[in-house]
Amino acid sequence: MGVEEQRAGEFYVERDVMNELCLDELARRRTHSTRPLLKERVKDSLRCSVPKLKHSVLSFIPILSWLPRYSVRQDALGDLISGISVGIMHLPMGLAYALLASVPPVFGLYTSFYPVLMYCIFGTSKHISVGTFAVTSIMIGTTTERLAPNSAFTSMNGTNGTVFLDVLSRDAFRVQIAASTTLLSGIFLFLLGMIRFGFVVTFLSDPLVRGYMTGAGIQVVLSQLPSLFGIRTGRFSGPLSQVYVNICRHLPETNIAAVVVTLVALAVLITVKELNIYYEKKMPVPVPIELITPPSSPDISLWSSIVGDAFAIGIVGYAVNISLGKIFGQKHGYTVDSNQEMVAIGLSNIVGGFFQCHVVAASPPRTLLQDSTGGKTQVVGLISSVLVLIFILQLGTLFEELPKAVLACIVLVNLRGLFMQFKDIPELWKSNKVDLLVWLVTLVCTVLLNLDLGLAASIGFSMLTVIFRTQLPRYSILGHVPGTELYLDTETYEEAKEIPGITIFRSSTTMYYTNAQLYLDALQEKSGIDIEKLLMKKKKRETEEKWKENQEKKKAKKEAKKQPIMLLKCVFYQSRVKIKTLFLCQSKVNWAFEQQGTGFDRGSETGIHGDDHITQTPSTGGEGEMGKSSVNDTHTIILDLSTANFADTATVKTLKNIFLNYRKIDIDIFLTGCQVCVVEQLSSAGFFSASIPKSLLFTTIHDAVLHSLRLHGASDDLTCTTKM
């Protein structure tokens, strides 16, 4: 569709130029806030009524809202198939991820049962599959191994001198640590959710979350290398410690049998997984290949400080949950409540902690499976939990001893979705290189540092990019598009032409304390007005004029002092002439009169009478006022503040200085496009005064331009007719 086809018509605007004062009068600005007082809001929050109580209960327990409206005819079949599929996937993932968490396999199955039931009751997403997740599992495992190392449970056999490891005591303590961390993590999330702290997820951008999960996936792979090669190592932290310790140092100790099992298991698992993906539309339930491979017991790890790790693990799990929830919520047209999700995950972890589970999160592979197999409601979680419960009660004893190599292969195969996120790199390169930088830095920090430190460093770097973006905004000079009231960037649009005598300046971001000086520098650079240089020139010129004026005054005073002396000389000269005349009269009268006449003529020739008149030349200034008008005839600068969403102290001070300095060089400053909150903040800060009235704040750029043209007597050839 061309431009001509898109035009639906045209409209004409005819009104007076509108500044802030005129707008307040026309739109009848309220003199008081319509928002209730704090006292009234507190009373209203404490006031109880049946509808309010019902709404609170339904919001806190969403299952009471959607279960009575559940459609058996439309949703039951899809939920049943999806529940069985997800339940089958829960079994191998629960067993394998227990290896990452350094707890016995059966506790991975517990994690796939109790927390899932809690999320079905309190969660708001219909499609995410909560349970064991690789990232949170390895974070739990790192914590448990730091707090319960093998060295704390070894003893020397006095009979034969061998070292004895008390595996039962070690596992029991690690399970206790995992449960305590899970409980504490749940309490953190629950309390944060109750105080409506769900906005914290906004600090975890999508590139950061995806980069972190990819980096965590690499950490998971590194942690499974000992099981894949059949070597014994502990977990280590620090840059590339896993690679060095797990491969380079212990590679000569490789168990050939474990390597053979690894290769066979990987071949079978990858082949069947790819077949499941290829035939997923023809097979409603995937082949549970993980259940028929040789089982193995996981390698139990250490734990670390509970409080810091619990908070970090909880935030990571919640971030994954809300990210997947919002993605599928947008896909299927429903809203996911971020605060309620925090409460739901918190309660899931709290209950799971009592049943010796480890921290849960939404799993991308299971979530994709649930969506692709037709799951529509949280009933899928209930069905999968029943399937897991049956497996725990009837078949759990079969997996007391499982081959570690096979479980490690199951872990690696199920990380396929995380490593597919490497495709983000070319996409982000094309769309947003800053987000790509966040993705890559997060990946590197997660691989080189521990998962908790990597997350902290990644969030810090992500926040720095936000600051840098505000430090490097795009500054533009706007020009008028003929026949419209539009003002666009002259560097981007060819038809946008600058108006003679008027400079319109805009920043792409709000001005505040970190970029206020940059705003001033850009204004001078874009407008071509070096305010400091011009002010120095003006000050120098004024100093020179003042010096000349003082010199003229001194000269005038000096000349004024000479006047009495000249008068005395004149009187004395006249007296001498009279005496001489009397003397000559006694001898030769005619000759005396000639001499007297000659004497007066000589006095005229010497300029004595000229000393009675002093001529002074007044100082006119010559150059006139030093201003931008003497540079390129600019008489007005319009600051477009439409991108500003707040005004701090630095903003107010900067704007005041702009008004003060540019007025000194005879340039008018107008503001346009201020939001109501910005105007209120400027007023509260005392920005408006007799020298800077509200009449200098205009509703639109066009209003300010028309006012400036009329004020300076320029021809108003800007039409208010806008064609659409």
Side-chain angles (χ1 to χ4, degrees):
M1 181 179 292
V3 176
E4 296 295 334
E5 297 178 358
Q6 293 179 3
R7 291 177 177 172
E10 57 185 24
F11 68 89
Y12 301 88
V13 177
E14 184 177 352
R15 60 172 174 82
D16 295 332
V17 172
M18 193 75 63
N19 59 28
E20 187 68 19
L21 296 177
C22 298
L23 179 64
D24 290 347
E25 182 179 357
L26 177 66
R28 297 173 58 189
R29 184 183 182 89
R30 299 181 188 274
T31 58
H32 61 279
S33 175
T34 58
R35 187 180 182 184
L37 298 176
L38 178 60
K39 182 179 180 180
E40 297 297 329
R41 295 201 301 270
V42 172
K43 286 184 178 180
D44 183 67
S45 63
L46 298 177
R47 190 177 295 115
C48 184
S49 63
V50 175
K52 187 175 181 180
L53 178 61
K54 180 180 178 181
H55 179 268
S56 299
V57 173
L58 293 180
S59 299
F60 185 72
I61 311 176
I63 193 173
L64 299 179
S65 176
W66 60 264
L67 189 59
R69 300 195 302 266
Y70 183 78
S71 175
V72 177
R73 182 176 181 181
Q74 296 180 357
D75 302 333
L77 181 59
D79 287 346
L80 178 62
I81 296 175
S82 181
I84 296 174
S85 303
V86 173
I88 292 174
M89 200 170 187
H90 263 298
L91 303 179
M93 293 182 73
L95 297 171
Y97 290 165
L99 177 69
L100 300 179
S102 296
V103 294
V106 69
F107 294 98
L109 298 180
Y110 295 161
T111 305
S112 299
F113 175 69
Y114 297 104
V116 175
L117 289 177
M118 294 303 298
Y119 184 82
C120 292
I121 298 173
F122 295 97
T124 60
S125 176
K126 302 177 182 179
H127 292 85
I128 64 173
S129 175
V130 173
T132 55
F133 181 49
V135 176
T136 54
S137 296
I138 193 174
M139 293 179 76
I140 285 287
T142 302
T143 305
T144 55
E145 290 187 355
R146 286 201 301 265
L147 292 179
N150 287 334
S151 58
F153 299 91
T154 57
S155 59
M156 183 69 68
N157 192 330
T159 304
N160 53 16
T162 59
V163 177
F164 174 74
L165 175 63
D166 189 352
V167 178
L168 294 178
S169 299
R170 181 198 61 183
D171 289 354
F173 186 49
R174 288 180 176 180
V175 169
Q176 182 181 357
I177 296 174
S180 300
T181 306
T182 302
L183 177 62
L184 185 58
S185 176
I187 292 174
F188 279 141
L189 291 179
F190 178 77
L191 294 178
L192 292 176
M194 293 302 294
I195 63 175
R196 319 300 292 175
F197 206 70
F199 68 88
V200 71
V201 74
T202 59
F203 294 100
L204 302 174
S205 63
D206 186 62
L208 187 147
V209 173
R210 295 176 68 85
Y212 182 79
M213 288 194 297
T214 305
I218 295 176
Q219 284 276 24
V220 172
V221 172
L222 295 177
S223 69
Q224 296 308 295
L225 293 178
S227 298
L228 295 175
F229 288 96
I231 56 181
R232 291 182 175 273
T233 64
R235 292 194 181 181
F236 299 88
S237 60
L240 297 177
S241 60
Q242 292 280 10
V243 175
Y244 171 72
V245 175
N246 292 345
I247 297 181
C248 301
R249 186 176 177 182
H250 294 278
L251 194 59
E253 304 172 8
T254 300
N255 188 324
I256 303 300
V259 174
V260 173
V261 172
T262 296
L263 295 177
V264 173
L266 281 176
V268 175
L269 289 171
I270 293 175
T271 301
V272 178
K273 282 288 183 181
E274 293 300 322
L275 290 175
N276 285 336
I277 295 174
Y278 185 78
Y279 293 104
E280 62 179 352
K281 295 183 179 180
K282 299 181 180 180
M283 296 187 304
V285 179
V287 177
I289 184 61
E290 293 90 349
L291 296 183
I292 60 177
T293 53
S296 172
S297 62
D299 184 16
I300 308 302
S301 301
L302 301 173
W303 268 58
S304 184
S305 60
I306 293 179
V307 175
D309 289 344
F311 184 80
I313 296 170
I315 292 297
V316 171
Y318 169 70
V320 175
N321 250 58
I322 194 64
S323 299
L324 288 175
K326 288 190 173 182
I327 290 173
F328 286 92
Q330 293 174 357
K331 178 180 179 181
H332 295 280
Y334 63 90
T335 303
V336 176
D337 188 341
S338 59
N339 291 301
Q340 182 60 29
E341 283 295 294
M342 189 170 278
V343 171
I345 296 297
L347 288 174
S348 298
N349 286 331
I350 290 174
V351 173
F354 285 109
F355 290 94
Q356 299 178 328
C357 303
H358 51 266
V359 175
V360 296
S363 170
R366 290 198 308 268
T367 301
L368 291 172
L369 177 63
Q370 179 171 329
D371 180 58
S372 62
T373 53
K376 298 181 180 179
T377 67
Q378 291 92 322
V379 172
V380 174
L382 297 175
I383 297 174
S384 64
S385 298
V386 172
L387 187 61
V388 172
L389 177 61
I390 295 173
F391 188 82
I392 293 174
L393 296 176
Q394 299 297 326
L395 303 177
T397 55
L398 299 179
F399 297 90
E400 291 295 333
E401 296 293 334
L402 298 175
K404 297 177 182 179
V406 175
L407 281 181
C409 292
I410 294 175
V411 170
L412 298 184
V413 172
N414 282 288
L415 292 176
R416 178 180 179 273
L418 294 181
F419 293 122
M420 292 297 291
Q421 292 178 152
F422 275 105
K423 293 181 179 179
D424 293 347
I425 294 178
E427 295 178 0
L428 291 175
W429 175 262
K430 296 178 182 178
S431 60
N432 194 309
K433 292 181 174 58
V434 176
D435 286 344
L436 173 61
L437 186 61
V438 172
W439 196 100
L440 293 175
V441 170
T442 302
L443 174 69
V444 173
C445 289
T446 306
V447 173
L448 296 184
L449 306 175
N450 293 334
L451 291 174
D452 49 356
L453 294 178
L455 177 63
S458 303
I459 294 176
F461 181 79
S462 179
M463 297 301 296
L464 286 177
T465 61
V466 176
I467 297 176
F468 289 149
R469 289 183 184 185
T470 61
Q471 290 287 323
L472 301 173
R474 179 172 181 175
Y475 298 105
S476 306
I477 294 295
L478 306 185
H480 178 247
V481 179
T484 70
E485 59 175 6
L486 301 178
Y487 293 84
L488 306 176
D489 186 358
T490 56
E491 295 181 358
T492 304
Y493 298 92
E494 296 180 359
E495 292 299 321
K497 306 296 182 182
E498 290 191 55
I499 302 171
I502 299 178
T503 298
I504 307 171
F505 181 74
R506 174 192 288 170
S507 171
S508 62
T509 187
T510 187
M511 175 175 56
Y512 66 114
Y513 72 96
T514 64
N515 61 9
Q517 185 59 45
L518 298 177
Y519 187 91
L520 284 176
D521 297 341
L523 175 60
Q524 295 185 27
E525 179 183 355
K526 288 288 185 179
S527 63
I529 304 175
D530 191 340
I531 186 68
E532 294 182 358
K533 184 177 180 180
L534 292 178
L535 288 175
M536 290 179 61
K537 285 185 177 180
K538 182 180 179 181
K539 185 177 181 180
K540 182 178 179 181
R541 180 180 56 78
E542 290 177 347
T543 302
E544 292 177 353
E545 290 179 354
K546 187 175 182 180
W547 182 83
K548 290 180 180 179
E549 184 179 353
N550 292 334
Q551 291 298 109
E552 293 292 340
K553 288 182 179 180
K554 291 180 180 180
K555 185 177 180 182
K557 289 181 180 180
K558 187 176 181 181
E559 294 295 335
K561 290 180 180 179
K562 291 181 180 180
Q563 291 294 336
I565 298 175
M566 296 303 296
L567 290 174
L568 290 175
K569 287 182 178 181
C570 184
V571 172
F572 177 74
Y573 178 77
Q574 291 177 354
S575 300
R576 290 182 60 190
V577 171
K578 289 180 180 180
I579 295 172
K580 188 176 182 180
T581 301
L582 291 174
F583 176 78
L584 291 174
C585 284
Q586 295 176 359
S587 58
K588 295 181 180 179
V589 177
N590 293 334
W591 182 84
F593 277 107
E594 291 178 0
Q595 291 298 319
Q596 184 181 11
T598 303
F600 278 106
D601 290 341
R602 188 178 296 114
S604 299
E605 292 174 1
T606 58
I608 296 176
H609 295 289
D611 291 336
D612 294 333
H613 178 70
I614 299 176
T615 303
Q616 297 182 4
T617 303
S619 176
T620 59
E623 296 176 0
E625 286 293 317
M626 173 66 72
K628 182 60 184 172
S629 56
S630 65
V631 181
N632 62 3
D633 298 328
T634 296
H635 53 72
T636 301
I637 292 180
I638 299 174
L639 303 180
D640 180 17
L641 301 182
S642 58
T643 58
N645 51 24
F646 68 92
D648 61 358
T649 305
T651 302
V652 175
K653 184 178 180 181
T654 301
L655 292 177
K656 281 186 177 181
N657 290 336
I658 290 175
F659 272 90
L660 176 64
N661 292 333
Y662 281 89
R663 278 179 176 175
K664 291 180 180 178
I665 57 175
D666 296 334
I667 293 182
D668 295 329
I669 301 293
F670 298 142
L671 305 180
T672 66
C674 291
Q675 302 181 43
V676 175
C677 60
V678 176
V679 177
E680 292 176 350
Q681 291 169 0
L682 291 176
S683 300
S684 301
F687 175 76
F688 298 109
S689 60
S691 59
I692 308 178
K694 272 192 176 182
S695 58
L696 300 181
L697 174 57
F698 290 87
T699 306
T700 65
I701 297 177
H702 201 59
D703 288 300
V705 170
L706 294 178
H707 176 75
S708 175
L709 292 176
R710 294 170 185 173
L711 183 65
H712 292 275
S715 59
D716 184 7
D717 57 351
L718 299 181
T719 178
C720 286
T721 303
T722 305
K723 295 183 178 181
M724 296 295 290

